[in-house]
Amino acid sequence: MSSLRSKSAQDISDLLDEYRIKHGPVVDSTRSLYEKKLKEAMAKGKPKESCDKTYYREEEEVTYEYSTPVRSEGAVNSGSYMRSRPEWREREFEHEQSYSSYSRPTPEYRGRDFVDEPSMYDKPSTYSNAYMTPTPMKSPEAPKAANSSRLIPLWVQFVFFLAVAAFLYLVFSSMESNDSFKAIE
Amino acid sequence: MSSTSQKHKDFVAEPMGEKPVGALAGIGDALGGRLEEKGFDKAYVVLGQFLVLKKDEELFRDWLKDTCRANVKQQGDCYGCLKEWCDAFL
């Protein structure tokens, strides 16, 4: 990478930002120091930024998958959860064979869903179990895409709304049955 | 820091003016000579470099090591001296 010498000061500055190296202006007296730092960083091979991009691309892919019909959503959800949140893997998949089928690339997902479901899930309970587990994460109609841009996850908002609605209904229905109190008065 | 040298105390006590680079804490005759060869003949020139490196400790230490082959203690003394001077006068 001796081409660092020929780069402009702006290029050096951009490269330093890419490698997340804290730096000041690239002037004559600082240039050689920054070139040396860049050489070290390149030798270590820290492609941090490209890793971040990959992560975001995965999230984009996850978003896209949620436009499929509800029926396969449960199965698709489980798989995509597996990809973007590895810690859910162990909880959602009791059978390792179903795990391996979901490690296939995205385009094959939807085609295989309907084919593999009967064979992958021996008992309906397993499927419903896998379907139920994502439910606490979100309600069926809410896309996960919004999750990344919200402070409070969308599913939490829905659950909270339902809880408030249920509570209000309880209060209302108990008020209705307060006729007995009026009789006492 | 309670373990600062007399040189450090003298330097941070007043504006540096035209003091030579050897007046900086951590910079003795050998290091001073190397810095002067590179064009850093006055303390304020080293101050300029310190500021251009945004007063960052790691960057300044690396620069000192590269420029005059200062060891860790010398780097630390010089950095501390300039930092304190800036806190007081800049």
Side-chain angles (χ1 to χ4, degrees), chain A residues 16 20-25 30 33-34 37, chain B residues 46-65 75-76 78-80 82-84 86-87 90:
Chain A
L16 286 165
R20 311 259 179 103
I21 298 172
K22 197 176 157 191
H23 66 96
T30 58
L33 176 70
Y34 292 142
K37 280 194 171 280
Chain B
V46 178
L47 171 71
Q49 185 67 12
F50 178 67
L51 298 175
V52 154
L53 292 171
K54 299 183 112 165
K55 300 192 262 179
D56 180 71
E57 180 167 3
E58 197 192 321
L59 286 174
F60 185 69
R61 280 176 177 264
D62 284 347
W63 175 81
L64 264 183
K65 189 171 78 173
Q75 295 164 19
C78 189
Y79 168 78
L82 278 171
K83 183 174 183 311
E84 208 174 303
C86 286
D87 290 344
L90 198 57

Side-chain angles (χ1 to χ4, degrees), chain B residues 11-39:
Chain B
F11 191 85
V12 301
E14 56 184 1
M16 64 176 78
E18 298 291 321
K19 284 182 186 171
V21 71
L24 285 163
I27 307 296
D29 292 335
L31 296 185
R34 289 181 204 140
L35 282 170
E36 280 170 18
E37 277 170 25
K38 299 269 174 85

Side-chain angles (χ1 to χ4, degrees), chain A residues 4-39:
Chain A
L4 280 176
R5 282 283 162 90
S6 54
K7 290 207 193 296
S8 70
Q10 186 59 45
D11 289 340
I12 300 281
S13 182
D14 293 339
L15 278 170
L16 286 165
D17 288 335
E18 230 182 83
Y19 285 97
R20 311 259 179 103
I21 298 172
K22 197 176 157 191
H23 66 96
V26 181
V27 291
D28 290 342
S29 58
T30 58
R31 190 170 173 121
S32 56
L33 176 70
Y34 292 142
E35 280 176 13
K36 192 181 129 220
K37 280 194 171 280
L38 277 175
K39 272 186 203 147

Side-chain angles (χ1 to χ4, degrees), chain A residues 103-151:
Chain A
S103 63
R104 306 250 171 89
T106 317
E108 290 187 21
Y109 249 84
R110 296 182 209 114
R112 286 195 72 93
D113 268 344
F114 296 95
V115 173
D116 282 348
E117 261 178 20
S119 59
M120 281 301 125
Y121 294 96
D122 297 327
K123 315 164 202 170
S125 60
T126 315
Y127 174 74
S128 58
N129 193 21
Y131 183 76
M132 264 164 35
T133 328
T135 309
M137 286 292 297
K138 65 161 198 68
S139 22
E141 56 269 359
K144 192 180 175 244
N147 208 8
S148 57
S149 59
R150 288 170 191 267
L151 213 54

Side-chain angles (χ1 to χ4, degrees), chain B residues 1-16 19 23-26 77-78 80-82 84-85 88-89:
Chain B
M1 260 178 66
S2 57
S3 58
T4 50
S5 63
Q6 189 58 44
K7 212 170 168 188
H8 174 108
K9 288 178 187 145
D10 290 343
F11 191 85
V12 301
E14 56 184 1
M16 64 176 78
K19 284 182 186 171
L24 285 163
D77 289 347
C78 189
C81 176
L82 278 171
E84 208 174 303
W85 188 93
F89 296 103

Side-chain angles (χ1 to χ4, degrees), chain A residues 37-149:
Chain A
K37 280 194 171 280
L38 277 175
K39 272 186 203 147
E40 285 170 10
M42 283 173 179
K44 278 183 194 168
K46 304 198 268 179
K48 276 190 170 189
E49 190 156 319
S50 53
C51 276
D52 284 340
K53 278 180 184 159
T54 312
Y55 179 76
Y56 285 133
R57 282 226 319 268
E58 268 194 6
E59 279 205 309
E60 278 176 29
E61 283 177 14
V62 168
T63 319
Y64 188 66
E65 283 169 18
Y66 278 78
S67 59
T68 55
V70 182
R71 184 176 170 222
S72 65
E73 240 181 26
V76 175
N77 289 352
S78 315
S80 52
Y81 273 113
M82 177 207 72
R83 291 206 15 231
S84 54
R85 296 190 188 211
E87 60 264 23
W88 278 85
R89 264 183 226 161
E90 285 78 45
R91 283 202 254 171
E92 294 195 30
F93 292 98
E94 296 171 10
H95 305 286
E96 284 188 358
Q97 46 192 347
S98 52
Y99 172 89
S100 61
S101 79
Y102 281 105
S103 63
R104 306 250 171 89
T106 317
E108 290 187 21
Y109 249 84
R110 296 182 209 114
R112 286 195 72 93
D113 268 344
F114 296 95
V115 173
D116 282 348
E117 261 178 20
S119 59
M120 281 301 125
Y121 294 96
D122 297 327
K123 315 164 202 170
S125 60
T126 315
Y127 174 74
S128 58
N129 193 21
Y131 183 76
M132 264 164 35
T133 328
T135 309
M137 286 292 297
K138 65 161 198 68
S139 22
E141 56 269 359
K144 192 180 175 244
N147 208 8
S148 57
S149 59

